[in-house]
Amino acid sequence: MGTLVTSEQVEKANHILEPVVTKTLLQYDDYLSKKYDADVYLKREDLQIVRSFKLRGAYYAISQLSKEKLAKGVVCASAGNHAQGVAYTCFKMGVPATIFMPVTTPKQKVNQVEAFGGDQVTIKLAGDTFDQSKDMAIHYGEEHGLTFINPFDDENIIAGQGTVALEIVDQLKKKEASPADYVFTPIGGGGLISGVSAYFKDKSPTTKIIGVEPVGAASMSLSLKEKKVTPLSHLDKFVDGAAVQEVGAMTFLHSQQLVDDVCEVPIGKVCSTILELYTKQAIVVEPAGALSVTALDDYKEDIKGKTVVCIISGGNNDIQRMPEIEERSLIYEGLKHYFVVNFPQRAGALKEFVSDVLGPHDDITKFEYTKKINRGSGPVVIGILLQDHGDYASLIERLTIFDPNYINLQENESLYTLLV
C-alpha cells in the first residue's frame, strides 16, 4: 500500500485497453469557456461504452487475473458504474460474475448491469450503502472462492482509470492546445483521481489536479484533514456514484501525495449543473458526472486564461430522478420555498394571501390544507416559486405580517421530509 502507481503502469494498461474501450471525446466547451474566460475542455467519459470511465479499471484488473481465477469467477460491489464495467468485461471474456449492489441503487443502473452482463452475471441487491454491500461481497467471495474486484483501491484499477489522463494529454497535443493547467476530477473512492494524478504528475507536473466531492459524502476531504483514512459518520447518498463512506488506503496515499486540492460542492449546486449541462450543451450526466464542472465557480479567479479539463465521469442518470434534481436546484438557487402558514378558516383567506403576500411574479406550486372543526385558523403547507431570488426578503416581510408564527420548512429538515 506504500507505493504509487507509475505512468509506465498506466501506459501498460492503455496497451491492453486500446482495442477495448472507447477513446472518448475531449470536447472544447464554448459556453463554459466564455463563462469562465478560460479554455475549458470536457473529457466525455459519459460517451464510454458503459457510459462511465469505470470500464477502464474493471477490464484491465480482470484481464490481469490468472486463468484459474478467471475460471472460478469474480465478485464485486458497486452503486452502478463499476458494476457495469465488470458486467461488460465478464460478458466479453466469458467470466462468471456475482455483483452486489446497494438496495438504494437506481433501477436504471440495475437494468444496465443486467443488459451488459447477460447470462454471465448474477446480481444481488444487499446493504443500504456501497460500504455495506462491499462487506457482503467480500464475505461472499471468500466463501465461494471468487476474486474480489475492488472498485477503486487496487493498483490495476488505478492504472486502468489513469488511461483517461493519458488520452487527455495526447488529445491536447493533437489539438495543438496548451497543456492542461487544471484538471478537475470527481472523487468517490478515489480510483480515478489516483490514476489521473499519477500520470499527470509524471508527464505534466505543472498541471494542478483538483478533486471534487459532494457535501455529505466528502470522505477523501475528511481523511486528508485527519491525515489518515477516516470513515464518514453520516453519508448522503444522493450523488450515488460518489457516495463512499470510506476511501481506500491506496487512493488516500495517491491523493495525499499527488493531488493539489480537494473541494466540496453543495448537492443543490450539482443539480443546477446537471440542468445547465443539459439545457446549454445537451449533455446528460449523472450527479457524480457533474461534480467537476460544478467546482469551476470556486476556482473562477484561478482558472482565468488557463487551459482547464473537467472529467465528465458518467452519464448513467435515471430519468425518473429529474423532478427531484430540478427541485433541489430551485431550492439551492433560492427560487423555491416551502412554509407552514396558518390561514384564517373563512371564505376569501386564500384570495387575501395571494393579494397581500405573493409578489407579482410569484407562483404557488404546492397547497395542502385540511379544515379543522371549531378552530379559527388552520395550517397550510405551501410551496412558493420566485422568479428572482432577490424577491425573497420582501416575501418574508409580507408573510410575517400575514402569520408571524409561520414555519420555514427548509430550516427544519425533519418537517420538510415529512411534509414535502
Side-chain angles (χ1 to χ4, degrees):
M1 290 294 183
T3 59
L4 302 177
V5 167
T6 65
S7 60
E8 288 77 18
Q9 286 175 280
V10 174
E11 288 164 352
K12 179 186 173 185
N14 189 64
H15 179 72
I16 299 296
L17 293 175
E18 210 164 10
V20 178
V21 304
T22 299
K23 187 173 184 177
T24 56
L25 181 68
L26 183 67
Q27 175 184 343
Y28 181 82
D29 193 289
D30 189 63
Y31 169 75
L32 291 173
S33 295
K34 289 177 180 176
K35 181 177 179 180
Y36 294 104
D37 191 21
D39 289 323
V40 179
Y41 293 84
L42 304 181
K43 180 57 172 168
R44 297 287 304 280
E45 284 297 290
D46 58 301
L47 301 177
Q48 192 54 257
I49 302 167
V50 298
R51 297 210 294 264
S52 89
F53 72 95
K54 285 287 191 174
L55 174 59
R56 298 172 183 270
Y59 194 100
Y60 183 61
I62 293 171
S63 74
Q64 299 304 293
L65 297 178
S66 67
K67 290 182 179 179
E68 292 75 18
K69 288 184 177 180
L70 290 174
K72 288 183 179 179
V74 300
V75 63
C76 75
S78 168
N81 288 340
H82 178 60
Q84 291 179 47
V86 170
Y88 180 89
T89 299
C90 289
F91 181 77
K92 289 294 183 182
M93 296 180 64
V95 176
T98 303
I99 296 177
F100 283 73
M101 304 182 77
V103 295
T104 54
T105 304
K107 181 64 176 173
Q108 181 260 358
K109 288 191 176 182
V110 177
N111 291 342
Q112 285 295 102
V113 173
E114 292 174 341
F116 284 125
D119 56 7
Q120 292 293 336
V121 167
T122 300
I123 296 173
K124 294 183 181 293
L125 298 177
D128 290 330
T129 66
F130 159 74
D131 297 271
Q132 292 174 2
S133 190
K134 180 187 73 172
D135 291 341
M136 294 178 185
I138 292 172
H139 180 69
Y140 183 89
E142 290 171 349
E143 280 188 336
H144 295 84
L146 308 178
T147 301
F148 178 67
I149 306 300
N150 196 296
F152 47 80
D153 208 37
D154 174 89
E155 66 176 3
N156 287 329
I157 291 286
I158 291 171
Q161 318 302 29
T163 60
V164 174
L166 183 150
E167 289 182 10
I168 292 170
V169 171
D170 180 59
Q171 288 168 318
L172 285 173
K173 285 180 181 177
K174 287 182 176 178
K175 291 176 182 288
E176 297 184 350
S178 300
D181 296 299
Y182 286 84
V183 175
F184 289 82
T185 305
I187 298 179
L192 177 61
I193 199 167
S194 294
V196 167
S197 60
Y199 191 80
F200 264 104
K201 289 306 178 183
D202 183 35
K203 299 298 183 179
S204 181
T206 60
T207 300
K208 293 187 181 298
I209 307 298
I210 310 297
V212 191
E213 295 182 292
V215 170
S219 48
M220 186 65 80
S221 295
L222 176 63
S223 294
L224 291 172
K225 180 181 177 182
E226 297 295 328
K227 298 183 180 180
K228 62 180 181 179
V229 175
T230 306
L232 295 168
S233 58
H234 172 74
L235 181 69
D236 189 316
K237 293 172 280 191
F238 181 82
V239 184
D240 50 301
V244 175
Q245 199 142 18
E246 184 177 332
V247 300
M250 187 176 292
T251 59
F252 169 73
L253 184 67
H254 281 74
S255 294
Q256 188 180 48
Q257 295 191 22
L258 302 177
V259 174
D260 294 282
D261 195 18
V262 176
C263 70
E264 301 174 37
V265 291
I267 289 174
K269 191 171 185 177
V270 174
C271 292
S272 294
T273 301
I274 293 172
L275 297 175
E276 183 179 46
L277 285 169
Y278 178 71
T279 57
K280 301 289 188 183
Q281 296 112 306
I283 299 173
V284 177
V285 297
E286 61 187 89
L291 287 172
S292 59
V293 176
T294 305
L296 293 180
D297 271 347
D298 293 341
Y299 295 84
K300 59 186 177 183
E301 295 302 321
D302 299 313
I303 65 176
K304 278 185 179 179
K306 305 294 186 181
T307 300
V308 178
V309 177
C310 293
I311 298 177
I312 306 295
S313 58
N316 287 301
N317 197 8
D318 188 344
I319 195 67
Q320 296 181 13
R321 300 183 74 190
M322 290 307 289
E324 182 186 4
I325 288 170
E326 183 179 17
E327 176 90 348
R328 284 175 175 260
S329 171
L330 288 170
I331 290 172
Y332 173 77
E333 300 291 342
L335 297 176
K336 202 167 193 179
H337 304 272
Y338 290 94
F339 307 96
V340 174
V341 181
N342 284 297
F343 270 62
Q345 293 198 142
R346 56 172 170 75
L350 176 56
K351 182 179 180 181
E352 180 183 323
F353 181 87
V354 171
S355 299
D356 297 347
V357 178
L358 290 190
H361 304 295
D362 301 342
D363 189 21
I364 294 177
T365 61
K366 183 182 182 69
F367 191 90
E368 291 188 4
Y369 171 64
T370 301
K371 188 170 183 178
K372 306 294 184 181
I373 299 174
N374 297 325
R375 290 190 186 177
S377 63
V380 171
V381 178
I382 189 166
I384 299 176
L385 180 64
L386 307 179
Q387 191 176 78
D388 188 316
H389 66 84
D391 296 335
Y392 179 73
S394 57
L395 171 70
I396 293 301
E397 288 179 8
R398 297 189 297 270
L399 182 58
T400 303
I401 295 171
F402 186 86
D403 175 21
N405 298 312
Y406 77 89
I407 299 172
N408 187 332
L409 289 179
Q410 271 115 305
E411 295 175 356
N412 191 316
E413 185 177 348
S414 297
L415 274 180
Y416 175 85
T417 303
L418 175 66
L419 299 175
V420 179

